[in-house]
Amino acid sequence: MSVESVLQRVATLEQALANPTALLAAAARSGGTAAPAETAPEAATPSGGSSFAEALQSASAGYQAPSPSASALATATGSSGVEPATAALAYPTLPSTYTGVAGGSTQPPYSASGLSGLSVAGSPTPTLGSTAGTGNTGARIVAIAESQIGQSEQPPGSNESPAIAQYRSATAGAMPGAPWCAYFASWAARQAGAPLGAQGEGLGSVSEIWSWAQSSGRAIPNGPGVVPQPGDLIVFGGEHVGIVKDVLPNGDIQTVEGNYENKVAQNTRTPTEATGYVNMN
């Protein structure tokens, strides 16, 4: 094809682009739409001439096809063209507190709330010398010991609780987790204004209590006709010590004992069970 033919075709294309309405009308009259033109191989460019691509670019210069509207785009694509909003990812929230650490709770072996329960039935916790001058020493010891009935180890068998920690405070050098019947007796005596020991330091074992009682003239070996008084300490060899509450008409002895079945408990003993008593009156 010659350059002249190409230029003529370009002129025709320019005219059609200048009046697209006429071009559409002509197509309608022909009863159909024009088939897409096949891509022709690039024509040889004569020396000193213009290529077909350059001519086409020149003819279409300044022409800008209208941008399709959003509705037209939706019609053509079958969608609104708008990406749906991405749903927010939901992650489970860990609870603010949880148990299960080391197979159990993070709580200590006993509750600190037990510190407010050192006295029973709402009675105030006895303090050192608070009952001094109220009756005799033995009666004060009994009243203080009875106020603690029900205090127990937490957990059982541990020799520990907030109350037991308080009982230990009456004995110098007391050891946490140690058997505490002597600590309880020392605490009750101290609260009544009659601390155990040569210096009032408290005594942490039954053997120490008995040795002190012997050296101070307070030891009473058990035997026929021996009747203790309320407030005296009741000693069972070197193993256990309690506090005499009273003596029943049949001779049995009611006691208050710390570390009896893991708690402070009231008990009844026969006259022959004890090996001796410590006079606290």
Side-chain angles (χ1 to χ4, degrees):
M1 180 181 294
S2 65
V3 175
E4 289 79 4
S5 299
V6 171
L7 293 178
Q8 184 175 0
R9 285 178 177 251
V10 170
T12 303
L13 180 59
E14 287 180 340
Q15 183 178 2
L17 291 174
N19 189 7
T21 303
L23 179 64
L24 294 175
R29 286 194 302 270
S30 65
T33 58
E38 295 181 2
T39 302
E42 184 177 352
T45 304
S47 176
S50 300
S51 68
F52 176 80
E54 291 173 341
L56 181 61
Q57 182 177 1
S58 176
S60 59
Y63 175 78
Q64 182 176 359
S67 300
S69 65
S71 59
L73 180 62
T75 302
T77 62
S79 68
S80 63
V82 179
E83 289 292 334
T86 302
L89 297 178
Y91 294 93
T93 303
L94 290 176
S96 58
T97 57
Y98 56 91
T99 57
V101 178
S105 171
T106 56
Q107 297 293 323
Y110 53 81
S111 171
S113 63
L115 287 172
S116 62
L118 286 179
S119 50
V120 176
S123 301
T125 302
T127 56
L128 178 60
S130 64
T131 56
T134 305
N136 60 31
T137 301
R140 295 196 299 271
I141 293 175
V142 170
I144 291 167
E146 284 187 303
S147 75
Q148 303 302 298
I149 291 174
Q151 290 292 338
S152 60
E153 297 174 3
Q154 300 176 20
S158 67
N159 288 330
E160 284 294 344
S161 78
I164 294 169
Q166 290 291 330
Y167 304 152
R168 287 197 301 265
S169 69
T171 301
M175 299 184 62
W180 51 280
C181 63
Y183 293 150
F184 177 72
S186 294
W187 178 84
R190 181 179 176 85
Q191 296 297 315
L196 306 185
Q199 306 299 323
E201 71 276 16
L203 300 170
S205 71
V206 181
S207 60
E208 288 178 335
I209 289 176
W210 188 248
S211 294
W212 168 74
Q214 288 178 315
S215 64
S216 61
R218 296 172 179 269
I220 305 173
N222 195 17
V226 174
V227 179
Q229 300 179 62
D232 286 351
L233 307 186
I234 181 170
V235 178
F236 303 90
E239 302 298 322
H240 188 61
V241 62
I243 296 168
V244 175
K245 176 184 177 184
D246 57 26
V247 180
L248 299 176
N250 66 354
D252 286 348
I253 302 164
Q254 286 191 312
T255 63
V256 179
E257 303 171 30
N259 203 16
Y260 180 83
E261 295 182 346
N262 302 321
K263 61 183 180 292
V264 178
Q266 181 170 295
N267 204 0
T268 301
R269 301 288 192 172
T270 64
T272 59
E273 286 187 67
T275 56
Y277 304 95
V278 178
N279 181 11
M280 295 299 297
N281 291 276

